[in-house]
């Protein structure tokens, strides 16, 4: 128990503006991803949501990686190392969020919107901590 308290104290002590920058990058990432999705679907005449989502997700990963590496965490590690760890982390966060939403909505029949907001709030905090202390340390 004392180690958990020490971890939380260390997290709170090191909490700085990087969390707010992380949230700003996340919000801008959502906007960019949506614009790319709609552009791919309607302007490029793809008319296929799955293919459009591939473009959108790829743009979101590139945008988020660039701005989190340069602005949020100001990493000086090798970009290739950061990118590989970033992709691993984002894959894990995706799987975790899908599982949590499945349990809350499909198993326990909770409201999808409330469940999504709850899950994404938790995922954001976990994602921030993992990016700060593992990917862009």
């Amino acid at each position: 128990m004392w180690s958990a308290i020490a971890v939380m104290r260390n997290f709170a002590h090191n909490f700085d503006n990087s969390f707010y920058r992380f949230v700003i990058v996340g919000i801008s990432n959502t906007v960019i991803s949506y614009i790319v999705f709609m552009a791919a679907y309607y302007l490029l005449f793809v008319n296929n949501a799955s293919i459009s989502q591939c473009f959108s997700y790829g743009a979101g990963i590139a945008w988020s990686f660039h701005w989190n590496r340069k602005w949020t965490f100001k990493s000086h590690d090798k970009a290739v190392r950061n990118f590989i760890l970033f992709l691993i982390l984002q894959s894990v966060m995706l799987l975790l969020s899908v599982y949590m939403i499945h349990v809350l909505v499909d198993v326990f029949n909770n409201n999808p919107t409330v469940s999504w907001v709850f899950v994404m709030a938790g995922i954001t905090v976990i994602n921030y901590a993992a990016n700060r202390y593992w990917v862009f340390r």
Side-chain angles (χ1 to χ4, degrees):
M1 175 164 161
W2 291 110
S3 63
I5 293 171
V7 168
M8 291 305 293
R9 187 179 312 133
N10 186 36
F11 181 76
H13 177 6
N14 290 322
F15 189 84
D16 57 20
N17 288 335
S18 65
F19 182 76
Y20 300 112
R21 289 190 299 264
F22 184 78
V23 170
I24 290 168
V25 169
I27 291 168
S28 66
N29 180 36
T30 302
V31 172
I32 295 293
S33 295
Y34 180 74
I35 289 169
V36 169
F37 177 82
M38 297 307 281
Y41 192 81
Y42 290 111
L43 299 178
L44 299 177
F45 303 105
V46 172
N47 292 330
N48 183 307
S50 298
I51 293 172
S52 298
Q53 178 62 10
C54 290
F55 283 113
S56 171
Y57 197 78
I61 287 285
W63 177 268
S64 185
F65 174 76
H66 173 77
W67 288 107
N68 279 320
R69 183 171 189 274
K70 295 290 184 185
W71 184 56
T72 304
F73 300 109
K74 298 178 173 113
S75 177
H76 299 290
D77 287 345
K78 294 187 181 215
V80 172
R81 177 198 172 278
N82 284 156
F83 190 67
I84 291 169
L85 295 177
F86 187 79
L87 285 178
I88 292 169
L89 175 62
Q90 296 316 308
S91 298
V92 170
M93 292 295 99
L94 173 64
L95 293 173
L96 181 60
S97 66
V98 167
Y99 176 74
M100 291 172 66
I101 287 174
H102 165 72
V103 169
L104 289 173
V105 176
D106 298 332
V107 175
F108 291 113
N109 204 27
N110 288 308
N111 179 287
T113 302
V114 172
S115 298
W116 184 87
V117 169
F118 176 77
V119 167
M120 292 314 296
I123 289 293
T124 298
V125 172
I126 294 167
N127 199 2
Y128 168 77
N131 270 294
R132 177 170 180 144
Y133 296 109
W134 184 55
V135 176
F136 301 110
R137 52 188 172 146

